[in-house]
Amino acid sequence: MSEDAGKADPLMQAAARQWRDRGHPGSIVNIVAVVARGMPQVAHTCAARAGVIYLSKSVATEWAPLRIRVNCVAPGSIATDGLNVYPRAAAEAFRVSNPMLTLGDAYDIGNAVVY
């Protein structure tokens, strides 16, 4: 494990070092918003999430020989309390942006992480 890979996220690096030093496998799951199409008015959050996505991809390949899996879950529109801060029309736009015309929930994210 290079020193550079973990500098971007000290928590990931600390966990990976523990697993490596003990000879144990490990699993890291990062959860981010879907940012592939961009998000108006929140370029800063898209940039930060893209950084997490590409950090995950990079260390996944670097740490695979150590039996450390790194995945990134990027759910679409999820029904959370945070969605309630948006006007009703905006919340509806989130719902219809999904081809199934429904919002996901915390269980959807949990199932993806467990998988």
Side-chain angles (χ1 to χ4, degrees), residues 32-34 37 73-80 94 97-98 102-105 109:
V32 299
V34 173
R37 293 181 299 224
V73 174
S77 298
I78 303 296
T80 65
F94 283 119
S97 70
N98 180 326
T102 186
L103 296 171
D105 61 27
I109 297 170

Side-chain angles (χ1 to χ4, degrees), residues 35 39-51:
V35 296
M39 298 170 71
Q41 308 301 313
V42 288
H44 61 287
T45 198
C46 287
R49 295 334 182 256

Side-chain angles (χ1 to χ4, degrees), residues 13-105:
Q13 185 178 37
R17 280 188 177 146
Q18 290 284 326
W19 292 320
R20 178 200 61 193
D21 293 348
R22 293 181 177 151
H24 292 178
S27 182
I28 296 170
V29 180
N30 292 313
I31 303 172
V32 299
V34 173
V35 296
R37 293 181 299 224
M39 298 170 71
Q41 308 301 313
V42 288
H44 61 287
T45 198
C46 287
R49 295 334 182 256
V52 172
I53 292 165
Y54 281 91
L55 170 66
S56 299
K57 289 180 180 197
S58 297
V59 297
T61 58
E62 183 176 332
W63 295 350
L66 301 171
R67 299 180 306 144
I68 300 171
R69 294 180 310 155
V70 182
N71 291 292
C72 200
V73 174
S77 298
I78 303 296
T80 65
D81 290 340
L83 193 60
N84 296 334
V85 302
Y86 292 97
R88 183 176 220 91
E92 179 64 11
F94 283 119
R95 186 185 70 78
V96 299
S97 70
N98 180 326
M100 294 182 70
L101 301 177
T102 186
L103 296 171
D105 61 27

